[in-house]
Amino acid sequence: MWRPRLGGLNFKRLSAEEREGLETEFSGEEVWRAVCSCDGNKAPSPDDLTLSFIQAIWEVIRDDCLRFMSEFHKDITVVKEINKTFIALVPKCGKLKSMKDFRPISLVRCMYKVLAKVLANRVKSVMNTIIGDYQMAFVKDRQILDNIVIAEEIVHKWKRDKVGGILLKLDFEKAYDSVDHNFLLDMMT
């Protein structure tokens, strides 16, 4: 079956220094920054601890937390129990008539939150390097609505200059359900 090839395209790539930065062992300062940057008053974890508690007793549990982070870095696995999440239903209003009157929240263990934050911070540090200039969603200082504004400006210019044009909107909903994974792996290689 014929498949298009992406050979010859220049994709953005991380430098050796950036790649190394993503893979270095977690430092104590890096983990502490992640702990501090989390809102300590959000929903408690299934063990009833909030991140404000972790922040308050950091000096006592610091070594254990760093050992957990080091073991994750070395083995790239997380103990099953730490990844367990409980879903709690919080009432939205006084009169509860249906499931729509509840807001589900996930209660995730604190160390899992810290690990996720440290990893997210690392990826965030290289995002602007690897994301294309035309990607608008999920990038700091860019808004998905910017694409709509650009499209409106193009149409406005066409009207003003009395020229025609074609706009094509593609719906990628559930696109990954129909992707040939061998093709995708080949393109990534």
Side-chain angles (χ1 to χ4, degrees), residues 3-15:
R3 294 282 185 207
R5 296 283 176 233
L6 296 177
L9 295 178
N10 294 321
F11 290 106
K12 292 185 172 192
R13 296 176 185 265
L14 296 178
S15 67

Side-chain angles (χ1 to χ4, degrees), residues 75-88:
D75 301 331
I76 312 184
T77 57
V78 176
V79 179
K80 265 186 181 179
E81 286 72 30
I82 206 155
N83 192 16
K84 287 184 180 172
T85 302
F86 294 116
I87 305 295

Side-chain angles (χ1 to χ4, degrees), residues 28-186:
E29 181 182 315
E30 180 180 23
V31 175
W32 174 240
R33 271 196 318 267
V35 168
C36 290
S37 69
C38 294
D39 183 353
N41 294 318
K42 287 204 172 179
S45 63
D47 50 17
D48 288 330
L49 300 178
T50 63
L51 278 163
S52 60
F53 177 76
I54 300 295
Q55 293 164 356
I57 65 160
W58 181 250
E59 290 305 316
V60 176
I61 63 169
R62 179 184 184 277
D63 292 340
D64 291 328
C65 291
L66 294 180
R67 187 170 25 264
F68 164 77
M69 297 297 283
S70 179
E71 288 171 8
F72 171 80
H73 185 268
K74 184 176 60 178
D75 301 331
I76 312 184
T77 57
V78 176
V79 179
K80 265 186 181 179
E81 286 72 30
I82 206 155
N83 192 16
K84 287 184 180 172
T85 302
F86 294 116
I87 305 295
L89 297 175
V90 178
K92 292 182 186 179
C93 57
K95 295 183 179 183
L96 305 172
K97 296 180 181 177
S98 72
M99 288 303 291
K100 293 179 186 176
D101 298 329
F102 290 94
R103 175 175 287 116
I105 62 168
S106 299
L107 304 177
V108 181
R109 297 194 186 273
C110 289
M111 283 312 300
Y112 193 76
K113 291 177 185 178
V114 171
L115 174 61
K117 187 72 167 185
V118 169
L119 293 173
N121 287 343
R122 285 214 175 162
V123 171
K124 194 186 318 181
S125 71
V126 297
M127 272 306 225
N128 287 334
T129 304
I130 56 175
I131 300 238
D133 298 331
Y134 302 108
Q135 166 85 31
M136 294 297 176
F138 313 112
V139 179
K140 186 178 179 180
D141 298 327
R142 299 184 199 174
Q143 301 293 323
I144 194 167
L145 293 176
D146 291 346
N147 286 333
I148 295 169
V149 172
I150 292 167
E152 286 177 346
E153 291 295 323
I154 291 170
V155 171
H156 177 72
K157 183 175 180 353
W158 286 345
K159 286 181 178 179
R160 188 187 69 222
D161 296 347
K162 295 186 170 112
V163 296
I166 296 174
L167 290 178
L168 176 64
K169 179 194 175 286
L170 301 175
D171 183 2
F172 290 108
E173 184 178 349
K174 297 184 180 178
Y176 293 107
D177 294 343
S178 60
V179 167
D180 179 338
H181 291 272
N182 290 329
F183 168 72
L184 186 61
L185 288 171
D186 187 41

